[in-house]
Amino acid sequence: MQPHTFHIPGPFPLEGGGYLPELRLTYSTAGHPDPDRSNVVWVCHALTGSWDFASWWPGMFGPGEVFDPARYYIICVNIPGSCYGSTDALSVNPETGEPYYHDFPLITNRDIVEAFERLRVHLGIRHIEVAIGGSLGGQHVIEWAVSHPDLISHIIPIATNARHSPWGIACNEAQRMAISADPTWQERHPAAGLTGMRAARAMAMLTYRTYETYAVTQTDDHPDLHTAYRAATYQQYQGEKLARRFHAFAYWSLSRAMDSHDVGRGRGGIAAALAQVRARALVIGIQSDILFPVQEQQEIARLIPGAQYEEIHSLYGHDGFLVEIPVLTHLIRAFRGEPVVTGQPETYT
């Protein structure tokens, strides 16, 4: 899968004030649009995801899968502020000739959806059949359905919310504190804050998974006293793994975008905003999710007219939206009125 680039040359105004002098979006596509472009599936990625949707959501896209490129025109955009090709803090500011680094402005979820809108218009897409995303990507799906209620026919927000919670904001701030505690974070350098980001990722894993997850997957095989506990080395591994493919500036920018999420801001509150959604909605929660607990998805389903709510039982907490692919595809096929695989385990309610 090869990415494409869309360039917005003029100033791109931002909700929080200020602007980006230019904006570059990197995105991928699979399949081909119908003549009327009525078969579009728009995939919104999570905080450390990318435009390469087939790599981080395997089993959802491909021949015979629920979103088959033979039937659908699939699009996924690397969101601004991320580090997979779109404009981010390591991009050169054309007004200064230097990378933005710490001067990269606040980008909110509404700014991100507006960037999607610019690309959509550029591609000549007047209608989106399905918009799907989990976590931060699910926030984008809901914001888009609220801000452009006539655009999308079906939305599938997973493990997400209508307004980011004080708990979620606190978790993100604790992780940013870990980054800022790294002495290198003050440097204007691409590797600034990487040690702090390793710690931030290890902290995040505790909210992505659960007590039960670690008990099952990270319990030591023998009771002898030692220092290389499986749970400890797993945390180190997760921090190092992210540091090999991400940078602290992107982590900082995207966690702040997540904190900005509130579909009710300036719209009379969450209930009034979600009441405007016209898309048919399948809202999916994960029973063991402690970062985006199911009451947040239940609220979305209650306030969107005619929404359907489903709940997955998973060992993997919030990360269940990336892990429980068979159950997700079963739910999506049923929602879309398509044949489902018989004998699917009953792991949802």
Side-chain angles (χ1 to χ4, degrees), residues 45-49 78-83 104 107 109 112 136 139-140 172 176 246 248-260:
H45 71 75
L47 191 144
T48 62
N78 183 227
I79 59 181
S82 182
C83 57
F104 194 70
I107 293 181
N109 277 354
I112 291 167
L136 177 62
Q139 293 180 339
H140 298 153
N172 284 340
R176 289 190 294 265
F246 220 69
F249 294 99
Y251 205 96
W252 190 282
S253 295
L254 299 188
S255 65
R256 293 179 74 202
M258 180 180 284
D259 291 352
S260 78

Side-chain angles (χ1 to χ4, degrees), residues 45 80 98 106 200 288 314:
H45 71 75
E98 301 287 340
L106 169 67
S288 55
S314 174

Side-chain angles (χ1 to χ4, degrees), residues 135-158:
S135 194
L136 177 62
Q139 293 180 339
H140 298 153
V141 168
I142 296 171
E143 172 61 34
W144 211 353
V146 168
S147 61
H148 294 77
D150 295 319
L151 174 65
I152 308 170
S153 290
H154 302 83
I155 60 170
I156 308 175
I158 309 167

Side-chain angles (χ1 to χ4, degrees), residues 85-168:
S86 295
T87 298
D88 72 340
L90 300 190
S91 301
V92 172
N93 181 345
E95 294 183 342
T96 65
E98 301 287 340
Y100 290 96
Y101 293 125
H102 307 82
D103 300 328
F104 194 70
L106 169 67
I107 293 181
T108 70
N109 277 354
R110 293 191 186 180
D111 297 325
I112 291 167
V113 168
E114 175 57 27
F116 292 170
E117 272 291 292
R118 299 285 188 97
L119 176 60
R120 177 187 69 81
V121 172
H122 169 74
L123 294 175
I125 296 170
R126 298 182 179 180
H127 167 77
I128 295 173
E129 178 62 17
V130 179
I132 180 171
S135 194
L136 177 62
Q139 293 180 339
H140 298 153
V141 168
I142 296 171
E143 172 61 34
W144 211 353
V146 168
S147 61
H148 294 77
D150 295 319
L151 174 65
I152 308 170
S153 290
H154 302 83
I155 60 170
I156 308 175
I158 309 167
T160 193
N161 51 22
R163 176 184 181 183
H164 207 43
S165 67
W167 163 248

